[in-house]
Amino acid sequence: MNIRKLSFLFTIAVLEICPACGNGRGNSKETASDVTVVKDERVTIFAENDVEDKAIAIEQNESYAAKAYTIADSCAGPFRIGSGIPEKVEGFVRMDSHEKKTLPNGDICEIPIYIYEIGNEGRVKILPQYNTTSACVNDSIGVILVYSDLFLTDNGIGAMSSIEEFAAAYPDFRISYTGKTKLFVVETPRLKNVQFIIDNEYYQGDDSVPTSNESVGLQVSDFRKETYFTAIRITN
């Protein structure tokens, strides 16, 4: 076979291969298109997941809100005046301690106290019932002190609400100062034995009131604007 014939055959082979290369490039374009579709599908999947995550978060928040504890007559959620002091309460971690108490005769003694922590949401402090005659305590709840805004009344008032919010929710409110406890408290007849405590620093009324030993009727205007409670005190 001469050189010209070999050259001719080589040219024919090249021409046959080139269209195939073109088809290969065409297939490459289709593959790129397929990749684009896959990427779009992934974006769609991510968007759907995002919506699902938001829905789950909303459901969790609603469930969390539903766990708010009720402040009612003589009780705060699972804690009730006169009931036994619980060893365990779901959602709370109990810690035991002691506190000094001044007796009516002036003597000072130590009594046990029980603090129920609610994670980062505050705490509830329980004091047992104290018998002044026998000078001893029993295993029943005598005082409940709430330091958490998870506890709310039916009207949505809690330990961290403002005095203005309380007055709006309970127009029959009464504010007083008791020399025995040295506390300013807000009460309503609709919540028996429940007192909302105001820190003395908020008071701007008559200076003679905090030195009085009698309960004194006060008004919202006797306190600074945006006065907030520091705790809820429930007694028998």
Side-chain angles (χ1 to χ4, degrees):
M1 185 177 293
N2 59 31
I3 294 174
R4 287 184 178 181
K5 189 170 182 180
L6 287 172
S7 176
F8 175 76
L9 292 173
F10 178 77
T11 302
I12 294 298
V14 169
L15 291 174
E16 289 179 352
I17 292 171
C18 285
C21 293
N23 289 339
R25 288 194 297 269
N27 289 338
S28 176
K29 288 181 181 179
E30 290 178 2
T31 303
S33 176
D34 291 343
V35 171
T36 301
V37 171
V38 170
K39 288 172 69 177
D40 290 342
E41 289 176 353
R42 287 176 180 174
V43 170
T44 302
I45 291 171
F46 291 153
E48 290 176 352
N49 288 342
D50 188 48
V51 171
E52 290 178 1
D53 290 343
K54 288 180 179 179
I56 292 172
I58 291 171
E59 184 177 351
Q60 289 175 340
N61 288 339
E62 290 177 347
S63 176
Y64 179 77
K67 291 181 180 178
Y69 302 97
T70 302
I71 295 290
D73 291 356
S74 302
C75 78
F79 308 100
R80 175 174 290 277
I81 297 297
S83 296
I85 298 172
E87 288 288 336
K88 295 182 180 179
V89 180
E90 184 179 357
F92 297 79
V93 176
R94 174 176 144 170
M95 294 181 292
D96 298 358
S97 185
H98 288 82
E99 187 175 272
K100 290 183 178 180
K101 179 180 178 64
T102 303
L103 305 179
N105 62 5
D107 293 342
I108 297 176
C109 69
E110 281 195 346
I111 63 170
I113 62 169
Y114 308 92
I115 297 174
Y116 296 81
E117 296 279 356
I118 321 169
N120 295 324
E121 302 298 335
R123 68 190 190 280
V124 175
K125 179 179 175 182
I126 299 296
L127 279 67
Q129 287 185 348
Y130 183 83
N131 189 317
T132 55
T133 303
S134 61
C136 62
V137 296
N138 58 33
D139 294 329
S140 298
I141 297 175
V143 178
I144 304 170
L145 290 164
V146 178
Y147 304 92
S148 169
D149 56 6
L150 289 182
F151 290 78
L152 301 171
T153 69
D154 288 342
N155 287 7
I157 301 300
M160 310 303 167
S161 296
S162 70
I163 190 173
E164 289 87 356
E165 291 170 335
F166 190 99
Y170 301 99
D172 56 355
F173 71 92
R174 176 177 180 270
I175 308 174
S176 63
Y177 177 84
T178 306
K180 182 179 179 181
T181 59
K182 300 187 184 330
L183 293 173
F184 289 99
V185 298
V186 186
E187 301 170 277
T188 172
R190 287 185 263 176
L191 296 170
K192 184 181 178 181
N193 298 328
V194 180
Q195 300 175 331
F196 290 75
I197 299 174
I198 305 173
D199 196 291
N200 289 2
E201 67 178 67
Y202 289 113
Y203 180 69
Q204 61 179 9
D206 187 349
D207 291 339
S208 66
V209 171
T211 61
S212 172
N213 290 323
E214 300 296 331
S215 294
V216 180
L218 299 167
Q219 301 299 319
V220 173
S221 58
D222 289 317
F223 297 86
R224 296 207 315 255
K225 189 176 182 181
E226 297 182 351
T227 291
Y228 292 88
F229 303 125
T230 56
I232 300 173
R233 183 174 185 266
I234 304 173
T235 61
N236 52 12

